[in-house]
Amino acid sequence: MSEMMDKSTVNPDEDTVSLKSNGKTPTNDSPVKLGMMKSFKKSIQRAAEKSLLSPGGKGSKGTPKANVTESGSQPPLSPGPSVGSPVTPGKDSDSDISHPLKRSKTADPSMPSTDSFVRGSIRRSLPFVKRKKSKSVGEGLVEEKKEETEEEEVVLAEIEEIYTLPEIPHSPLSVMQISKLIETEVLEEAHLNLLALRREFQQEQDQSGGDAPMELAKKEKDLSLLYGDLRKKINTIVRDSNSVPSRNQELLLLTARIIQEEDKRAEEPGGLPGSWMEAWREAVEEGVQAKVKSVHLGQGEQKEQKEQREQSASWLAVHLGLLGKTIIEDLESVKRELQWSYPPSFKVFSTYVRSYHRVVAQHLKKVEQQVTERRDLYSLLNWIINTYKSETIMGSLSLQPDMNDESTDLQLEENFLKQLKEKYCCRVKVDMKSSLNKIIELENEEFWKDRRMPEKDDEFLNSEFHMDIWTQVKSNCQNSRVIDAELELKVLSSCLEELKGFPKRFEEEFNRLCGALKPQPPLG
């Protein structure tokens, strides 16, 4: 045996290869294989000791590898067997063979082959265990990223549409027990016992022939209360699922199966009226409403909103920006995680998109009632007509290709957009009148009040205020053109309509000021 060990020690690489290739587990009856394991261990010890004894973790150039002894100052490290090939050491074998290899911080870079061998065995045994990303670079990191991608593909596999209902109990639990199961979200067991109670009710109803109406009425009431609790619990789970989608994956699948089963049994006695699928859509919309309502400046007392508006001149633009960010982040989460918790027939992504179309439209109607300034009305119009359907939100590349078959338009109430445009045009007209009045005031301050002589151009009186008017009209038209051509024409019409009365007002003020300059007749 010593000769074998000496030979194996001479060529440790050969032993390592043979151990990997034969795939057999060494036992007490196999001294040759055990010796090969010992020699393999010693070769690893030498490499470790070399790293520990050498400065910088590398062997000294002046010290040959063969001269390194096994009596280093620190205990040698020993490799553990792979997960796929457990070793059962005998009495004569070293006990530390069973310990896993712990690599020193100063380990020699030449040792990764053994480490990767052990890690490879573990990975083959646990292919879907989630691992932290390695900080090292090179081949190991590439393999780890590849395995994480494969794991993600498994997690995001599409849920099967068809399912097999577990066996319904012969005797249901008590009403209190079923209620407790619903409360603690043990939904599958609660639903199966509800089905058992419902089946029991149907059988008694068929057998009674109209007798014992009080007993049947009590059981029907129990069923109604329990089903009501179950629907409320499902509503809560679904409503909150877009806030913590990953935590609820299994729970959402259970709710989906319950909804499917209950819709199948909709015509049978003992259940709740109304579609469970429709109740699910309502719960989704409630979750979307909570998201929209949580956006900054989207809710709160009017006093608080007023203070915030005073602090920020563009409060609505900020709010709409945050709203758009919330929408896109939520839909990305639905696409990435949430929709994989339901069967395809639920059309989860489409349901959330349509819910946002409705909920956001309702939200904007409430916001519009608080908007009075022209710049805020413009921000609201531009966000509805352009921004919402652009690449910033519903047209985002991150939502493709799921958005290909979806509408990108808000579900606004009829005439809402028309009324909003009219409100904007009226505000433009009011601001235009205010600007023209300001021009008259400036003329008074600069010329009449200080009695400054007007400028002349080729013996004609000259004033630049007409340029101020032209700039104001041009700015209004250009801004409204960004929204749409129809609005541009309406804005231009509003400006011209207000300009009609300006010459007369200017003339009246001019005559009044000129009259004030005439000498007054002597008194008496």
Side-chain angles (χ1 to χ4, degrees), residues 168-182 186 188-200 219 222-223 226:
I168 301 174
H170 294 292
S171 299
L173 296 173
S174 68
V175 173
M176 291 297 293
Q177 288 174 318
I178 297 174
S179 178
K180 189 65 176 177
L181 290 174
I182 294 172
V186 188
E188 185 176 35
E189 188 177 349
H191 182 237
L192 290 174
N193 278 277
L194 254 178
L195 292 178
L197 185 64
R198 188 172 177 181
R199 180 181 61 191
E200 192 178 86
K219 187 163 285 189
D222 290 338
L223 277 170
L226 289 172

Short mmCIF file of all heavy atoms in Angstrom, two decimals, residues 168-182 186 188-200 219 222-223 226:
data_model
loop_
_atom_site.label_atom_id
_atom_site.label_comp_id
_atom_site.label_asym_id
_atom_site.label_seq_id
_atom_site.Cartn_x
_atom_site.Cartn_y
_atom_site.Cartn_z
N ILE A 168 -62.17 16.82 -2.61
CA ILE A 168 -63.01 17.53 -1.65
C ILE A 168 -63.26 16.62 -0.44
O ILE A 168 -63.58 15.43 -0.61
CB ILE A 168 -64.36 17.93 -2.31
CG1 ILE A 168 -64.10 18.83 -3.50
CG2 ILE A 168 -65.27 18.62 -1.30
CD1 ILE A 168 -65.34 19.17 -4.30
N PRO A 169 -63.12 17.13 0.78
CA PRO A 169 -63.35 16.29 1.97
C PRO A 169 -64.77 15.72 2.01
O PRO A 169 -65.72 16.36 1.54
CB PRO A 169 -63.12 17.26 3.14
CG PRO A 169 -62.33 18.39 2.57
CD PRO A 169 -62.73 18.51 1.14
N HIS A 170 -64.89 14.54 2.57
CA HIS A 170 -66.23 13.93 2.69
C HIS A 170 -67.09 14.69 3.69
O HIS A 170 -68.28 14.90 3.47
CB HIS A 170 -66.09 12.46 3.11
CG HIS A 170 -65.44 11.60 2.09
ND1 HIS A 170 -66.02 11.30 0.87
CD2 HIS A 170 -64.21 10.99 2.08
CE1 HIS A 170 -65.22 10.53 0.16
NE2 HIS A 170 -64.11 10.32 0.87
N SER A 171 -66.47 15.13 4.78
CA SER A 171 -67.20 15.90 5.79
C SER A 171 -66.48 17.24 5.98
O SER A 171 -65.27 17.26 6.25
CB SER A 171 -67.24 15.15 7.12
OG SER A 171 -67.90 13.91 6.96
N PRO A 172 -67.20 18.33 5.85
CA PRO A 172 -66.55 19.65 5.99
C PRO A 172 -66.21 19.97 7.43
O PRO A 172 -66.80 19.42 8.37
CB PRO A 172 -67.61 20.61 5.45
CG PRO A 172 -68.91 19.94 5.70
CD PRO A 172 -68.63 18.45 5.55
N LEU A 173 -65.29 20.88 7.62
CA LEU A 173 -64.99 21.41 8.94
C LEU A 173 -66.16 22.27 9.41
O LEU A 173 -67.07 22.58 8.65
CB LEU A 173 -63.71 22.24 8.90
CG LEU A 173 -62.41 21.50 8.56
CD1 LEU A 173 -61.27 22.51 8.39
CD2 LEU A 173 -62.06 20.47 9.61
N SER A 174 -66.11 22.68 10.66
CA SER A 174 -67.17 23.53 11.17
C SER A 174 -67.08 24.93 10.55
O SER A 174 -66.05 25.30 9.97
CB SER A 174 -67.05 23.64 12.69
OG SER A 174 -65.88 24.37 13.05
N VAL A 175 -68.14 25.69 10.69
CA VAL A 175 -68.18 27.04 10.14
C VAL A 175 -67.08 27.90 10.75
O VAL A 175 -66.40 28.66 10.05
CB VAL A 175 -69.57 27.68 10.39
CG1 VAL A 175 -69.57 29.15 9.99
CG2 VAL A 175 -70.65 26.92 9.62
N MET A 176 -66.86 27.78 12.05
CA MET A 176 -65.82 28.56 12.72
C MET A 176 -64.43 28.19 12.23
O MET A 176 -63.56 29.05 12.03
CB MET A 176 -65.90 28.35 14.24
CG MET A 176 -67.13 28.95 14.89
SD MET A 176 -67.18 30.76 14.72
CE MET A 176 -65.76 31.22 15.71
N GLN A 177 -64.21 26.90 12.01
CA GLN A 177 -62.90 26.45 11.52
C GLN A 177 -62.63 26.95 10.10
O GLN A 177 -61.52 27.40 9.78
CB GLN A 177 -62.83 24.92 11.56
CG GLN A 177 -62.72 24.34 12.96
CD GLN A 177 -62.81 22.83 12.97
OE1 GLN A 177 -63.63 22.23 12.26
NE2 GLN A 177 -61.97 22.20 13.80
N ILE A 178 -63.65 26.87 9.25
CA ILE A 178 -63.48 27.38 7.88
C ILE A 178 -63.23 28.89 7.90
O ILE A 178 -62.39 29.41 7.16
CB ILE A 178 -64.72 27.05 7.02
CG1 ILE A 178 -64.90 25.53 6.90
CG2 ILE A 178 -64.60 27.67 5.63
CD1 ILE A 178 -66.17 25.11 6.20
N SER A 179 -63.95 29.59 8.76
CA SER A 179 -63.76 31.04 8.88
C SER A 179 -62.33 31.38 9.31
O SER A 179 -61.73 32.34 8.81
CB SER A 179 -64.77 31.61 9.88
OG SER A 179 -64.59 33.00 10.05
N LYS A 180 -61.79 30.57 10.23
CA LYS A 180 -60.42 30.79 10.70
C LYS A 180 -59.41 30.55 9.58
O LYS A 180 -58.41 31.27 9.45
CB LYS A 180 -60.14 29.87 11.88
CG LYS A 180 -58.82 30.15 12.60
CD LYS A 180 -58.84 31.51 13.26
CE LYS A 180 -57.55 31.75 14.05
NZ LYS A 180 -57.53 33.10 14.64
N LEU A 181 -59.65 29.53 8.77
CA LEU A 181 -58.77 29.24 7.64
C LEU A 181 -58.75 30.40 6.65
O LEU A 181 -57.70 30.77 6.12
CB LEU A 181 -59.22 27.96 6.94
CG LEU A 181 -59.01 26.64 7.70
CD1 LEU A 181 -59.64 25.49 6.94
CD2 LEU A 181 -57.52 26.38 7.92
N ILE A 182 -59.93 30.97 6.41
CA ILE A 182 -60.01 32.13 5.50
C ILE A 182 -59.25 33.31 6.08
O ILE A 182 -58.49 33.99 5.39
CB ILE A 182 -61.48 32.50 5.23
CG1 ILE A 182 -62.18 31.38 4.46
CG2 ILE A 182 -61.55 33.81 4.43
CD1 ILE A 182 -63.68 31.58 4.33
N VAL A 186 -55.30 30.44 4.63
CA VAL A 186 -55.12 29.04 4.21
C VAL A 186 -56.25 28.77 3.21
O VAL A 186 -57.22 28.06 3.50
CB VAL A 186 -55.17 28.09 5.41
CG1 VAL A 186 -54.80 26.67 4.99
CG2 VAL A 186 -54.24 28.56 6.52
N GLU A 188 -56.67 27.33 0.13
CA GLU A 188 -57.01 26.08 -0.56
C GLU A 188 -57.84 25.17 0.34
O GLU A 188 -58.89 24.66 -0.07
CB GLU A 188 -55.73 25.37 -1.00
CG GLU A 188 -56.02 24.11 -1.83
CD GLU A 188 -54.76 23.47 -2.35
OE1 GLU A 188 -53.73 23.51 -1.64
OE2 GLU A 188 -54.78 22.94 -3.47
N GLU A 189 -57.39 24.98 1.57
CA GLU A 189 -58.13 24.13 2.49
C GLU A 189 -59.50 24.73 2.83
O GLU A 189 -60.50 24.01 2.91
CB GLU A 189 -57.31 23.93 3.78
CG GLU A 189 -57.90 22.90 4.72
CD GLU A 189 -57.04 22.66 5.94
OE1 GLU A 189 -55.87 23.14 5.94
OE2 GLU A 189 -57.52 22.01 6.89
N ALA A 190 -59.53 26.04 2.99
CA ALA A 190 -60.80 26.70 3.29
C ALA A 190 -61.79 26.52 2.15
O ALA A 190 -62.97 26.21 2.37
CB ALA A 190 -60.56 28.19 3.55
N HIS A 191 -61.31 26.67 0.91
CA HIS A 191 -62.21 26.55 -0.23
C HIS A 191 -62.71 25.11 -0.41
O HIS A 191 -63.89 24.88 -0.72
CB HIS A 191 -61.49 27.02 -1.50
CG HIS A 191 -62.35 26.98 -2.72
ND1 HIS A 191 -62.02 26.27 -3.85
CD2 HIS A 191 -63.55 27.56 -2.98
CE1 HIS A 191 -62.97 26.42 -4.76
NE2 HIS A 191 -63.91 27.19 -4.26
N LEU A 192 -61.83 24.14 -0.21
CA LEU A 192 -62.25 22.74 -0.36
C LEU A 192 -63.32 22.39 0.68
O LEU A 192 -64.28 21.67 0.37
CB LEU A 192 -61.04 21.82 -0.22
CG LEU A 192 -60.03 21.86 -1.38
CD1 LEU A 192 -58.80 21.02 -1.05
CD2 LEU A 192 -60.67 21.38 -2.68
N ASN A 193 -63.16 22.89 1.88
CA ASN A 193 -64.18 22.63 2.91
C ASN A 193 -65.47 23.38 2.62
O ASN A 193 -66.56 22.89 2.94
CB ASN A 193 -63.64 23.02 4.29
CG ASN A 193 -62.76 21.93 4.89
OD1 ASN A 193 -63.26 20.98 5.49
ND2 ASN A 193 -61.45 22.06 4.70
N LEU A 194 -65.35 24.54 2.00
CA LEU A 194 -66.55 25.26 1.57
C LEU A 194 -67.30 24.48 0.50
O LEU A 194 -68.54 24.40 0.52
CB LEU A 194 -66.15 26.63 1.03
CG LEU A 194 -66.45 27.84 1.92
CD1 LEU A 194 -65.95 29.12 1.26
CD2 LEU A 194 -67.93 27.95 2.19
N LEU A 195 -66.55 23.89 -0.43
CA LEU A 195 -67.18 23.06 -1.47
C LEU A 195 -67.85 21.84 -0.85
O LEU A 195 -68.92 21.41 -1.30
CB LEU A 195 -66.14 22.65 -2.50
CG LEU A 195 -65.57 23.76 -3.39
CD1 LEU A 195 -64.50 23.21 -4.33
CD2 LEU A 195 -66.67 24.44 -4.20
N ALA A 196 -67.19 21.28 0.18
CA ALA A 196 -67.80 20.12 0.87
C ALA A 196 -69.10 20.54 1.57
O ALA A 196 -70.11 19.82 1.53
CB ALA A 196 -66.81 19.55 1.88
N LEU A 197 -69.09 21.69 2.20
CA LEU A 197 -70.29 22.20 2.87
C LEU A 197 -71.38 22.53 1.85
O LEU A 197 -72.57 22.26 2.09
CB LEU A 197 -69.93 23.45 3.67
CG LEU A 197 -71.03 24.06 4.54
CD1 LEU A 197 -71.45 23.09 5.64
CD2 LEU A 197 -70.55 25.38 5.16
N ARG A 198 -70.96 23.05 0.71
CA ARG A 198 -71.93 23.37 -0.35
C ARG A 198 -72.55 22.10 -0.93
O ARG A 198 -73.75 22.06 -1.20
CB ARG A 198 -71.20 24.16 -1.44
CG ARG A 198 -72.10 24.73 -2.52
CD ARG A 198 -71.28 25.63 -3.41
NE ARG A 198 -72.01 26.17 -4.52
CZ ARG A 198 -71.50 26.97 -5.44
NH1 ARG A 198 -70.22 27.34 -5.36
NH2 ARG A 198 -72.22 27.42 -6.44
N ARG A 199 -71.73 21.07 -1.12
CA ARG A 199 -72.24 19.79 -1.62
C ARG A 199 -73.22 19.18 -0.62
O ARG A 199 -74.26 18.64 -1.00
CB ARG A 199 -71.06 18.85 -1.87
CG ARG A 199 -71.45 17.47 -2.40
CD ARG A 199 -70.23 16.61 -2.60
NE ARG A 199 -69.51 16.41 -1.33
CZ ARG A 199 -68.29 15.87 -1.26
NH1 ARG A 199 -67.65 15.48 -2.35
NH2 ARG A 199 -67.72 15.71 -0.07
N GLU A 200 -72.88 19.28 0.65
CA GLU A 200 -73.76 18.77 1.71
C GLU A 200 -75.10 19.51 1.69
O GLU A 200 -76.17 18.89 1.83
CB GLU A 200 -73.06 18.95 3.06
CG GLU A 200 -73.69 18.24 4.21
CD GLU A 200 -72.88 18.43 5.49
OE1 GLU A 200 -73.10 19.45 6.17
OE2 GLU A 200 -72.02 17.58 5.78
N LYS A 219 -78.04 26.73 7.01
CA LYS A 219 -76.84 26.30 6.30
C LYS A 219 -76.57 27.20 5.10
O LYS A 219 -75.41 27.51 4.79
CB LYS A 219 -76.99 24.85 5.85
CG LYS A 219 -75.73 24.25 5.25
CD LYS A 219 -75.79 22.73 5.21
CE LYS A 219 -75.59 22.15 6.59
NZ LYS A 219 -75.42 20.68 6.59
N ASP A 222 -74.97 30.29 6.42
CA ASP A 222 -73.56 30.04 6.74
C ASP A 222 -72.70 30.06 5.48
O ASP A 222 -71.60 30.63 5.46
CB ASP A 222 -73.41 28.68 7.44
CG ASP A 222 -73.99 28.70 8.85
OD1 ASP A 222 -74.12 29.81 9.43
OD2 ASP A 222 -74.32 27.62 9.38
N LEU A 223 -73.21 29.41 4.44
CA LEU A 223 -72.49 29.40 3.16
C LEU A 223 -72.30 30.81 2.62
O LEU A 223 -71.21 31.18 2.16
CB LEU A 223 -73.24 28.54 2.14
CG LEU A 223 -73.01 27.04 2.18
CD1 LEU A 223 -74.01 26.33 1.27
CD2 LEU A 223 -71.59 26.69 1.75
N LEU A 226 -69.66 32.68 4.73
CA LEU A 226 -68.30 32.18 4.49
C LEU A 226 -67.80 32.57 3.10
O LEU A 226 -66.64 32.98 2.94
CB LEU A 226 -68.27 30.65 4.65
CG LEU A 226 -68.41 30.14 6.08
CD1 LEU A 226 -68.56 28.62 6.09
CD2 LEU A 226 -67.21 30.55 6.92
#
